[in-house]
Amino acid sequence: MIPKKKKAVFFTVFFLGCLWTGVGFGASKRAAYLKVGLFAEPKTLNIWLASDRWSFSVLSKIYQGLVTRDPETLELIPWLAETLPVYDPQTLSYTVTLRDAEWSDGSPVTAEDVAFTGNLIKEFKIPRHYWRWNFVKAIQVKDAKTVRFVLEKPMAIFLSRTLTTPIVSKKEWEAVAQRARKAGKPLTALMNHKIKNPIGNGPFVLKTWKQGAYLLLTKNPHFFGKGLKIAGHVLGPHVDGVLFKFYGTSDAAILALKKGDIDMYWWSVQAGYLGDLKKNPKITLFRNERSAMYYMGFNLRKPPFNDVALRQAVATLIDKDFIITRILQGDGERMDSVVPKGNKFYYCRPDTLWGAGLSREQRVKAAYKRLVEAGYSWKVPPVDESGKGVRAKEIRLPGGAPMGPFTILTPPADYDPLRAMSGTIIQEWLRAFGMPASAKPMAFGSLLDQVKVRRDFDAFILAYGKLSLDPDWIRAFFHSKNDKVRGRNMSGYHNPEFDRIADLSAATMDKKARRKLICDMQKILMKDLPYIPLYTPKMIEAVRNDRFSGWVNTLEGIGNIWSFCLVKPIRP
Amino acid sequence: MADGFKTRKKALSRHGHWIERWKEGWAIYKKNLLGRIGLALLSIFTLMALASFIPPLIDPMYGPMSGVDPAITASTGPSARHWLGTDFMGRDLFSQLLAGARVAFTVGITSAFVSIVLGTLIGMVAGYLGGWTDVFLMRAADLIMVMPTLLVVLILAALFGQLNIWSIILIIALFRWPGVSRVIRAQTLTLKERPFIDAARVAGASHVRIIFRHIMPNVLPLSFLYMTFRVTAAINIEAALAFLGFGDPGTVSWGMMLQWVWKTGHMFKAPYWLLPPGICISLITLAFYLLGRAMDEVLDPRLRKEGERY
C-alpha cells in the first residue's frame, strides 16, 4: 500500500514531467509557418491558366523569372539569371547566363527549361504571355547554362516584360504539351491541365491544398537564393512554410488578424478598419504606393461616346478630388494621365487637367460651354439665364435627338466597394447634368465578358493593378490593332498618329528618346480621352508584429517575393 | 327613365353596402391591440416616407445619395446638424433612413400588389374553369413556389448585372403569386358551387362576368389579407439583396445602408449607422405582419373571441 502523501507527490511529479516533455517536444517540432489571409481562394495552380490575383499570390512563390526588380531602386536586377543580359544591336540579340539553380525535385534549372518556356508560349499563343514573346524570333541554347534570344526587331520591353516571365520545368510540362498538341484545341487542353504538385524554382513548394479550407506551401530546400546576397539582402526563406487561409470577407479576415489566427492579411485594408487596427499594439500597418490605374472607359465604337467633346465634358464633371477625399478617405492620388504619378520617370503632366481645381458650379459651367460649342442642347440647361447652375433635364445630341439612356458598368460592391461607389456618384453628377446615366455593378467575369467579348457597353469603371514600370502597356491598351474581340483595346480607340508613335516607342532602345515618345502618347490620350484616369489608391496592408518581422516595403506593398524570402520568426 | 333611376339606386345601395362592411370591419379591427400597434407603426413609416422629400430642400447636403457635408469627410456620430450622424463620405444618415422608408413602401406595396393581382386572377381562373387549365396553372404555381426567390434574383443579378429597383420589384412579384393563387383557387372552388353562381349561369352570364362580377368581390378580402404578408416578404428580399451587394445602386434603401456600413468596415464601429436601418426593417415587417393578423381576425369570425362575433 503506497501512502497517500507519496502517491500525491508521485502524480504531481509525473504530471509536471509530462507537461515539461510535452512542451519541450512541441516546441522543438513546432514549425514556423507564416499564416497569410487571402480574400479569396486561388482558382488554379496552372500557371498558364491563372489570371486571378489569388492564384498569382501563390504561384509567385513557386515559379520565378530570369530578372526581377530591386525593392528599393525598382531597377531590374538578375534573379534566376546570373547577370543582366546585354543587348547586341548588331544581331538583335540578348544572351543570358543562368545561376546554379535547381527545381524543387532536385534537378538542375537549365537553358533548355528557359527555351522550352519561351517556345511553349509562342507555340500555343498563351494569352497573357504571348504578347511579350511574339517578337522573339529564336531561342538558342548555347550550353546548359546559356541561352540566346534573337529578336525580330529591337524591343524595349524585352528585359522588363519578357525576362520576368516565370520559367517552368521542361520535365514537367513537355509531356503535357505533347498531349495538348494532339487534342482538338491544344491551347484549351494545355490550360485545362490540372497541376497537383507543381515543380517550381521559387522559395516555396506546394505541400497541401485542401480546397475551400487552406493551402500550405513549405520551404523549397533547393531554392537557388538561399543564403545568396541579392540587392543587399541575404535571402532565406527563414520560415518553414506559408499557410494561406481564405476568408471571403474583410470583416472575417481582420477579425482573424486581431485574434492572431493569421499573421498577414494580403489585401488592401479599407479605411473603416484602420482606426481599430492602429490602436492594436500587436498590429503594424504598411502604406505603399501602387502602380495602378483606376479609370472610366468609354465605348468609342458607337454614339454617344464616340464624340470627344462629350468625353471631355464627362471628364470635366468628374470630381476626382471628391472621390479621393470622400470615397477613398484620402488613401489615394488623383490621376491626370494614364501613367501613375508614382512612375516618376515616365509620368508626363498633360496639357489639360480636366476639371482640376474647379468648384462644382465651375465644373458644370465648363462642361456646359464645351458641349454647347459642340452643338448639344437641353430641355432644361444645367446653367440658367442668370448663369447659375441648376439641375438639368434631357440633354440632346447635336442632331437634336435626346440622348438615350446609358450604363456605367462597375465591379460589384462585394468585389470593390470603392469602384462601385465611384460609379454611383459619377452617375449622380451626370444625371444632374441631364445625362440619363445609370451605374450598373455586375459580376466581374460578366463585366469583362460584356466589355471584351460582346463589346456591348457604353462606359465602364475598371482598373489595372501591378502595372509594369515600363509603360509599354499604353501601346497595348490603345493601339488600334488590339481593337478586336478579347483584345486589350477595350474602348475601340483608333488614332493613326498614336499608333505610329506607339510602334516607334516600342522599338526605341534609348531610354530618354523613349520617354519623349511615351510623353507624346500620354498627351494624345488625355486629349482624346478613350479612358478617363480617376485615381491610384494606396496599398495599406496589416500584419501582426508579435510573430514575424522583416517585411520589405516596395511599390505595390509588402506582399512581394523579397518579404517572403526575408521575413523571420521572432524568437522569445 | 324609371330604369335609370333603378340602376342608380342599385348602385347607391351597393356602395352603401361596402361602406357598411368597411365600418363593421373597422369596428372589429380597432378592438385588436396588435392591429392598432401595427397601424401606428405603419403611420410612422408613412410619415417618414413622406418626409423624405424635405431634407434635400433644406440643404443639398442632405441629399441621401450624393449630398455630402463639406465639413465632414468621415463617419461621425449623431449631432444637431446630423441627427443620426454621417456615413463614411459625410452623407446624412437620417436623410438616408427617410429615403429608405420610401423605397421600402415602393418595393413592398408594388411587388405585393402585382403578385396579388396575378395570384388572384390565376387562382380564380384555375378554380372556376377547372380541368386542364387548373392542372396547368397549378403545376406552374408549384414549379415557381419551390424556387427560392432570393437565390434566383442573385443568379439573375450575377448574369445580367445589378438589377434596378423596378426589375427587382417585378421579379419578386413574379415569384410570390403562387401561394395566393392556391388560396384563391380553393375559395373559388367553394364559391362556384353556390346557388348565386348557378343563378348567374342560368341567367346567361358569361364566364368572364361570373369571375369578375360574382367571384372576385368574394375573394378580394382574402387577397388583401395576403397582400400584407407579401409586403413583408418583398421588403425582406429587397433588403437582403441590397445587403449582399445586388441591390439597385442608384437607390438608397435600408439594405443598401447596411451594405455600405459593412463594406466600408464600420460594421462594429458605428452603431448609429448600423442599427437604424436594421431596426426599421424589423419594425416595418412587424407592422405589416400585425396588420395582417388583425385583418385575418376581421375576415375570419372563427378567430374572434366569444361574444365578439358580429
Side-chain angles (χ1 to χ4, degrees), chain A residues 38-39 246-259 261-262 265 267-274 276-277 283 414 417, chain B residues 243 258-270 274:
Chain A
L38 293 183
F39 185 81
F246 324 118
Y247 287 92
T249 71
S250 287
D251 277 323
I254 298 282
L255 199 62
L257 187 74
K258 284 184 192 168
K259 283 175 66 185
D261 289 345
I262 52 173
Y265 178 40
W267 187 239
S268 195
V269 179
Q270 293 277 326
Y273 299 107
L274 295 178
D276 267 2
L277 293 176
I283 286 174
D414 64 330
Chain B
F243 178 67
L258 288 175
Q259 200 227 351
W260 289 330
V261 71
W262 177 36
K263 288 295 171 191
T264 56
H266 290 80
M267 190 79 133
F268 304 109
K269 284 175 54 190
L274 174 72

Side-chain angles (χ1 to χ4, degrees), chain A residues 367-527:
Chain A
Y368 175 64
K369 192 175 165 223
R370 180 73 189 91
L371 288 187
V372 167
E373 283 167 6
Y376 287 76
S377 57
W378 283 259
K379 191 174 173 187
V380 176
V383 179
D384 67 10
E385 285 167 2
S386 64
K388 201 182 151 204
V390 292
R391 192 171 178 89
K393 273 188 193 161
E394 198 181 290
I395 188 169
R396 288 166 184 162
L397 302 172
M403 183 185 284
F406 65 88
T407 49
I408 306 167
L409 303 175
T410 71
D414 64 330
Y415 181 81
D416 185 350
L418 305 182
R419 265 185 280 171
M421 184 58 78
S422 300
T424 308
I425 292 296
I426 291 171
Q427 161 205 282
E428 292 297 308
W429 289 330
L430 299 186
R431 279 186 185 176
F433 197 72
M435 294 186 196
S438 302
K440 189 175 181 184
M442 67 194 305
F444 199 70
S446 308
L447 198 166
L448 285 186
D449 186 58
Q450 190 143 351
V451 172
K452 293 188 86 165
V453 184
R454 283 186 279 149
R455 304 202 283 180
D456 178 23
F457 65 96
D458 301 302
F460 59 90
I461 296 180
L462 278 176
Y464 286 107
K466 295 196 171 181
L467 286 167
S468 162
L469 287 177
D470 185 314
D472 186 66
W473 40 265
I474 303 177
R475 182 174 63 97
F477 296 163
F478 300 106
H479 199 292
S480 57
K481 74 176 180 190
N482 290 337
D483 177 19
K484 56 191 175 191
V485 173
R486 295 181 203 278
R488 303 183 89 190
N489 182 351
M490 294 188 285
S491 273
Y493 177 63
H494 286 249
N495 183 335
E497 176 63 5
F498 176 87
D499 290 351
R500 187 188 65 76
I501 301 174
D503 288 336
L504 190 60
S505 78
T508 303
M509 305 298 274
D510 178 70
K511 227 175 159 184
K512 275 187 185 167
R514 190 150 186 273
R515 182 186 181 276
K516 165 82 177 66
L517 292 168
I518 284 172
C519 276
D520 292 344
M521 286 156 72
Q522 290 177 65
K523 283 180 182 172
I524 291 172
L525 289 174
M526 284 305 96
K527 191 170 141 281

Side-chain angles (χ1 to χ4, degrees), chain A residues 1 6 57 59 64 137 139 148 150 165 191 203 225 234 312 323 371 384 454 464 476 501 522 545:
Chain A
M1 201 58 186
K6 277 190 178 175
S57 299
L59 289 168
Q64 303 302 308
K137 193 161 74 181
I139 308 169
R148 183 162 170 259
V150 183
T165 306
M191 291 174 76
V234 179
Q312 289 173 348
I323 292 174
L371 288 187
D384 67 10
R454 283 186 279 149
Y464 286 107
I501 301 174
Q522 290 177 65
N545 51 30

Side-chain angles (χ1 to χ4, degrees), chain B residues 128-160:
Chain B
Y128 180 75
L129 294 180
W132 281 106
T133 314
D134 184 27
V135 170
F136 174 76
L137 290 173
M138 286 306 104
R139 292 302 79 75
D142 291 342
L143 203 70
I144 295 174
M145 209 184 306
V146 294
M147 287 188 194
T149 314
L150 186 63
L151 194 66
V152 172
V153 184
L154 284 174
I155 292 168
L156 288 175
L159 285 176
F160 301 110

Side-chain angles (χ1 to χ4, degrees), chain A residues 180-193:
Chain A
R181 280 184 201 108
K182 288 175 193 161
K185 291 182 177 175
L187 176 63
T188 312
L190 184 81
M191 291 174 76
N192 286 345
H193 175 68

